[in-house]
Amino acid sequence: MEHLELFFKSIFIDNMVFATFLGMCSYLAVSKKVTTAVGLGAAVIFVLAVTVPLNWLLDQYLLQEGALVWLGPEYADYDLSFLSFIMFIATIATMVQLVEIIVEKFSPSLYNSLGIFLPLIAVNCAILGGSLFMQSREIPSLGLALTYGVGSGIGWFLAILAIAAIREKIRYSSVPPALRGLGITFIITGLMAIGFMSFGGMLTGGDEEKKEKNTEATLSNNLEKESKVITIDTAKKSEHDEVAVNIKETQN
Amino acid sequence: MGLLSKKDAKLITDPLTDNNPITIQVLGICSALAITAELKASIVMSVSVLFVLGLGNVVISLMRNIIPSKIRIIVQLIVVATLVIIVDLVLKAFAYELSKTLSVFVGLIITNCIIMGRFEAFALGNGPWKSFLDGVGNSLGYAVILIIVGFFRELLGSGTLLGIQVLGDPIEKTGLYAFGYENNGFMLLSPMALIVVGLIIWVQRSRNQALIEEN
């Protein structure tokens, strides 16, 4: 369930392109044809799925504060997180090279379709962004890191596929001359991003339907949660009241 | 421009208008859009890029004859990453709040295509002084767009500039708000950054017809 939630969240709600503008450069440059867009998109999914878990391991066992404790108790105070940029980018660059070599050796046909894009990917912000977001959102386990990597890769793939399809069609419409090419792509992406914002309700909204389907056990769980919420609310209210009283007192 | 020859001056002025890194070369858009909801963040981002690109161009240009071309991307990435770590640590030390708003986007300067693009296209083939000018010019071109976008988004979105209320107080109903003006909160959302950049491109290409692309 956790995995599913993170998976859909990283595809639709935190979509790399529409929510955080990552990988915009290659998104704009390589989206003129659907076939090339598919190639680059597949390469991005692949590389994200490899690098995010790898960088998760690095972060967990090398970079975080106290991560070096497995070397011995005297290393518990070390905090190497300032090195994370350089470590992440080095991992990504070497992984991309490695993936390129492996793919070339074992699947020449895949290499021919991905080949030219792989070196491009080392400098795609979406890849480094995936690792950095993984770090800043403190994803708890290796499995979730993998889910996150694959999910955001698919999100990026969807975005570039959609824009490429639109751009292929837009050739037949009369766009104002000064907007042709880059300008209209920007504006369409903006409109698509507004559309994607509506996915934001997917995980938070629609609670009523879920509750009806839930079994008694989860119902009682929900009740507990609700009662907790209520107690928190009352706690907040009492705080407010106190503050109000204080203010009145000071006014007096 | 007594200090710079005509050719050198062109290196700085060209990226500001007709060869702008964002609107014409399509480089460095990733980080440009996400942080432009406030003018202050845009300015800090521009200064960071100016530092990284100016210095990085010089370093790469000095090393250009000793870098083996096969591993040049990794070498470039390491140089940028080191410079970005410096920027990140400085921001965390002196402007902690701001570094929180910029979050991962400082780190993403590393993969900002503007930087790799200029390294590849210019610094690997030119001397340090020229590369420095090219770096400064391109980051200024980047800064111009960032500041324009940040200016409009902050002004129309929250009615402030650099945190100062310039259109009057929305709660007290002074200034423009007295006439029923409302802030357009939509401008603060990320999609509007894309549309604003699209409009800038529209204006720029209408003024200079030579830049118009084939569809």
Side-chain angles (χ1 to χ4, degrees):
Chain A
M1 195 57 216
E2 220 183 356
H3 284 269
L4 210 62
E5 192 178 321
L6 185 68
F7 185 66
F8 282 109
K9 200 170 169 232
S10 50
I11 293 182
F12 293 111
I13 300 173
D14 293 329
N15 186 292
M16 283 265 177
V17 174
F18 298 130
T20 48
F21 304 117
L22 295 182
M24 281 300 274
C25 310
S26 27
Y27 167 85
L28 291 168
V30 196
S31 62
K32 281 185 182 131
K33 270 191 189 162
V34 172
T35 43
T36 47
V38 168
L40 183 66
V44 165
I45 297 181
F46 193 62
V47 174
L48 265 176
V50 175
T51 55
V52 172
L54 214 64
N55 281 333
W56 185 86
L57 287 174
L58 265 184
D59 186 41
Q60 211 60 206
Y61 295 107
L62 267 181
L63 300 172
Q64 266 180 13
E65 196 177 353
L68 284 172
V69 78
W70 55 271
L71 276 177
E74 68 270 26
Y75 291 97
D77 291 339
Y78 283 75
D79 179 7
L80 296 180
S81 54
F82 68 93
L83 281 178
S84 44
F85 293 157
I86 218 165
M87 291 292 275
F88 285 176
I89 199 70
T91 321
I92 289 168
T94 41
M95 272 319 294
V96 169
Q97 289 273 295
L98 207 65
V99 166
E100 196 182 346
I101 294 167
I102 293 171
V103 172
E104 189 181 10
K105 171 90 180 147
F106 289 103
S107 168
S109 64
L110 184 66
Y111 179 76
N112 283 336
S113 56
L114 292 187
I116 33 166
F117 299 117
L118 280 171
L120 251 177
I121 277 178
V123 286
N124 189 329
C125 340
I127 310 290
L128 181 65
S131 291
L132 289 177
F133 272 122
M134 175 273 300
Q135 190 191 30
S136 72
R137 287 177 191 163
E138 294 172 355
I139 287 182
S141 73
L142 184 61
L144 280 175
L146 178 66
T147 313
Y148 179 72
V150 175
S152 11
I154 294 177
W156 201 87
F157 177 84
L158 267 185
I160 197 169
L161 190 62
I163 195 75
I166 293 177
R167 284 181 83 171
E168 275 198 357
K169 293 285 172 207
I170 219 165
R171 236 170 275 154
Y172 306 110
S173 44
S174 62
V175 179
L179 266 181
R180 264 176 212 157
L182 196 58
I184 195 72
T185 316
F186 265 102
I187 291 178
I188 292 172
T189 312
L191 294 176
M192 279 160 74
I194 294 172
F196 262 67
M197 284 175 69
S198 59
F199 284 117
M202 215 164 63
L203 290 182
T204 52
D207 272 345
E208 294 84 355
E209 282 178 24
K210 267 187 200 165
K211 271 179 198 164
E212 283 172 13
K213 285 175 191 167
N214 280 338
T215 55
E216 282 181 10
T218 47
L219 254 183
S220 62
N221 258 340
N222 276 348
L223 280 179
E224 271 178 27
K225 269 183 200 162
E226 275 175 12
S227 59
K228 265 183 203 166
V229 170
I230 289 166
T231 47
I232 291 167
D233 275 354
T234 47
K236 268 185 191 166
K237 264 180 197 166
S238 60
E239 270 179 27
H240 270 289
D241 290 345
E242 275 177 27
V243 171
V245 170
N246 283 340
I247 290 169
K248 269 181 194 167
E249 276 175 11
T250 48
Q251 275 175 351
N252 286 340
Chain B
M1 287 271 181
L3 189 62
L4 304 168
S5 68
K6 221 173 184 183
K7 234 178 170 180
D8 286 352
K10 213 167 150 40
L11 285 176
I12 288 199
T13 53
D14 246 14
L16 288 180
T17 51
D18 290 349
N19 198 14
N20 189 288
I22 293 187
T23 58
I24 311 296
Q25 303 176 40
V26 208
L27 294 174
I29 296 157
C30 331
S31 52
L33 298 174
I35 44 93
T36 47
E38 284 172 53
L39 189 54
K40 203 172 165 191
S42 327
I43 292 172
V44 170
M45 193 70 184
S46 311
V47 174
S48 314
V49 169
L50 179 69
F51 172 78
V52 174
L53 189 53
L55 223 60
N57 251 356
V58 173
V59 172
I60 291 291
S61 151
L62 286 175
M63 300 199 299
R64 70 183 186 280
N65 293 326
I66 52 168
I67 304 175
S69 74
K70 273 195 174 169
I71 57 160
R72 67 176 192 285
I73 289 189
I74 293 185
V75 174
Q76 289 165 0
L77 285 174
I78 299 294
V79 170
V80 192
T82 318
L83 290 169
V84 169
I85 289 175
I86 296 173
V87 169
D88 188 44
L89 291 179
V90 168
L91 278 183
K92 273 190 184 142
F94 295 106
Y96 189 71
E97 286 301 310
L98 211 60
S99 80
K100 278 278 171 221
T101 24
L102 291 176
S103 71
V104 300
F105 291 99
V106 178
L108 287 173
I109 297 178
I110 299 173
T111 48
N112 195 324
C113 330
I114 246 183
I115 289 169
M116 297 299 284
R118 290 330 291 175
F119 282 3
E120 282 282 307
F122 202 90
L124 279 176
N126 288 284
W129 173 238
K130 274 188 171 171
S131 306
F132 176 71
L133 292 179
D134 180 74
V136 170
N138 274 287
S139 35
L140 287 179
Y142 174 84
V144 167
I145 303 291
L146 240 70
I147 288 171
I148 293 175
V149 178
F151 176 83
F152 282 110
R153 282 182 75 192
E154 190 174 348
L155 184 67
L156 300 177
S158 40
T160 58
L161 281 178
L162 292 172
I164 303 161
Q165 291 178 327
V166 286
L167 300 179
D169 194 326
I171 303 162
E172 307 262 312
K173 298 278 176 215
T174 57
L176 261 184
Y177 297 97
F179 305 105
Y181 175 82
E182 289 283 341
N183 282 330
N184 183 0
F186 205 54
M187 292 298 286
L188 294 178
L189 299 176
S190 39
M192 284 312 288
L194 283 166
I195 295 179
V196 172
V197 175
L199 295 178
I200 292 175
I201 292 173
W202 195 358
V203 171
Q204 190 186 17
R205 294 191 183 181
S206 309
R207 287 168 53 118
N208 187 347
Q209 302 283 332
L211 299 173
I212 291 174
E213 293 176 57
E214 283 294 304
N215 211 352

